[in-house]
Amino acid sequence: MSRQDTAAAADVPARVAVIGTGVIGNGWIVRALAAGCDVVAFDPAPGAEATTRAFVERVWESVATMGLADTADPSRLRFAASAIEAVEEADLVQENVPERLEIKHRVLAELDAHAPEGVVIGSSTSGIKPSELQSACTRDPGRVIVAHPFNPVYLLPLVELVGGEHTAPVVTERARAQYAALGMRPLVVRREIEGHVADRLMEALWREALHLVNDGVATTEEIDAAVVYGAGLRWSLMGTFLTFHLAGGEGGMRHMLHQFGPALKLPWTKLEAPELTDELIEKVADGCEHQAAGRSVAELETRRDAFLTELLALTRKYWPEAEGLEGRI
């Protein structure tokens, strides 16, 4: 099945500009190439082009398993000499520079000044609100939005779309259609908030996990096992709320909240993250290295990608109606 089956072919951007080619930027490059787009990238780091091309070659088999557009071809990637050159004929711009507001402001102002009129500029920021990103742009700040994906971008379909105070609904809709045409599942967030939606949820789990390690309750391996063999299996299909809906039996969520709601008042949750001491850092790092068992990051990534391709296929099999969801919250 082609990645373009989830959206009209007319919405597929002919040329995607990717600014910043780290882990996330390279993921966007592969995602766009797989959808049959021309991709123009820019990154001032020495060796960036060689690193990106090696990455594309390494993961192409995984994306091919998921399905490629008829015109998908890694050779449709080229590197530009500047960000201005990269965006001058783009139909969609994706910014992936470091998560520092002063850098984002400088780069986004340049992209806004030179990208063609009406072209959406998406930022992969995981935490900065779009209105803050727009504040440095003077030409058309409303087209600068948050378009936050999840690693690996070339496999995981979720992209959080968040407009700022200058963003008109037509811009958000244009972005939704374009990202859907890249095979993504856009989640249009109702209002801007630091960390958006998915990262807010993941940060809560991450914070609790650090407390459990710090307090000597469990090791990193034991905590990961609790997720992998417990909640994670259910979440991969049903998410948090529908999982708890089933926990209420025939009475569903309403019964579950009435029966178990009082437990929400118990002091289980640590509302603040523990202090990141050297001792805690060593506990977490040592635990992860033990779990890796000598396998390199590249080996772990290959294992993860193989698992995700099969899991995504399984998810589609058991939740085919998800293909028709608008993906809005």
Side-chain angles (χ1 to χ4, degrees):
M1 177 184 293
S2 167
R3 288 168 177 258
Q4 297 179 25
D5 287 346
T6 58
D11 293 322
V12 179
R15 176 173 294 185
V16 177
V18 176
I19 310 301
T21 59
V23 172
I24 298 300
N26 282 338
W28 276 118
I29 287 171
V30 174
R31 168 71 67 169
L33 289 171
C37 306
D38 288 319
V39 179
V40 184
F42 172 72
D43 193 311
E49 180 172 358
T51 298
T52 293
R53 293 193 182 279
F55 177 84
V56 172
E57 182 178 358
R58 186 170 74 248
V59 305
W60 195 253
E61 183 177 349
S62 292
V63 296
T65 301
M66 296 293 295
L68 300 172
D70 293 340
T71 53
D73 191 333
S75 69
R76 298 181 70 171
L77 166 66
R78 76 173 179 87
F79 267 69
S82 69
I84 295 174
E85 179 189 337
V87 303
E88 61 186 2
E89 296 181 6
D91 300 300
L92 177 66
V93 178
Q94 190 70 31
E95 168 273 308
N96 318 277
V97 302
E99 199 82 345
R100 288 165 50 189
L101 191 56
E102 66 273 17
I103 298 177
K104 297 278 192 188
H105 276 169
R106 175 173 54 80
V107 171
L108 288 169
E110 183 177 49
L111 300 181
D112 176 48
H114 294 93
E117 182 178 356
V119 168
V120 172
I121 300 173
S123 174
S124 294
T125 179
S126 60
I128 303 173
K129 294 192 292 186
S131 290
E132 293 179 305
L133 299 175
Q134 296 173 351
S135 65
C137 301
T138 58
R139 182 184 174 199
D140 184 6
R143 64 173 168 168
V144 176
I145 66 170
V146 167
H148 174 233
F150 294 83
N151 186 41
V153 183
Y154 52 90
L155 293 180
L156 294 183
L158 183 64
V159 58
E160 296 176 307
L161 301 181
V162 195
E165 59 181 313
H166 297 288
T167 305
V170 67
V171 174
T172 304
E173 178 55 31
R174 185 184 311 131
R176 189 205 62 77
Q178 287 188 311
Y179 285 104
L182 294 180
M184 304 296 283
R185 191 169 298 285
L187 191 62
V188 180
V189 180
R190 292 183 181 273
R191 63 184 182 89
E192 56 183 325
I193 184 174
E194 293 89 346
H196 323 314
V197 173
D199 270 1
R200 293 290 290 255
L201 297 170
M202 289 190 291
E203 283 295 332
L205 182 60
W206 171 235
R207 184 173 60 241
E208 294 300 308
L210 288 177
H211 274 295
L212 292 171
V213 173
N214 193 54
D215 296 344
V217 176
T219 65
T220 61
E221 186 172 21
E222 290 162 350
I223 292 168
D224 282 353
V227 175
V228 170
Y229 300 111
L233 289 173
R234 299 182 300 185
W235 287 342
S236 63
L237 176 65
M238 294 185 175
T240 303
F241 283 102
L242 198 56
T243 292
F244 279 128
H245 179 64
L246 269 63
E250 291 301 319
M253 178 64 81
R254 187 168 286 101
H255 175 69
M256 194 282 295
L257 288 175
H258 283 299
Q259 182 173 359
F260 300 107
L264 298 176
K265 296 182 179 180
L266 294 177
W268 289 350
T269 301
K270 303 282 191 178
L271 296 180
E272 295 182 0
E275 182 181 353
L276 200 58
T277 62
D278 290 342
E279 181 182 5
L280 178 55
I281 291 174
E282 287 305 308
K283 280 185 178 180
V284 173
D286 287 347
C288 291
E289 289 163 5
H290 172 73
Q291 289 177 255
R295 292 169 293 188
S296 69
V297 170
E299 290 174 313
L300 292 173
E301 286 176 339
T302 298
R303 179 171 178 262
R304 175 202 65 192
D305 290 358
F307 173 80
L308 286 176
T309 55
E310 294 187 36
L311 181 61
L312 286 166
L314 189 64
T315 301
R316 286 194 297 269
K317 175 182 176 181
Y318 282 92
W319 199 4
E321 63 269 28
E323 295 295 331
L325 293 179
E326 288 297 319
R328 298 178 183 274
I329 63 170

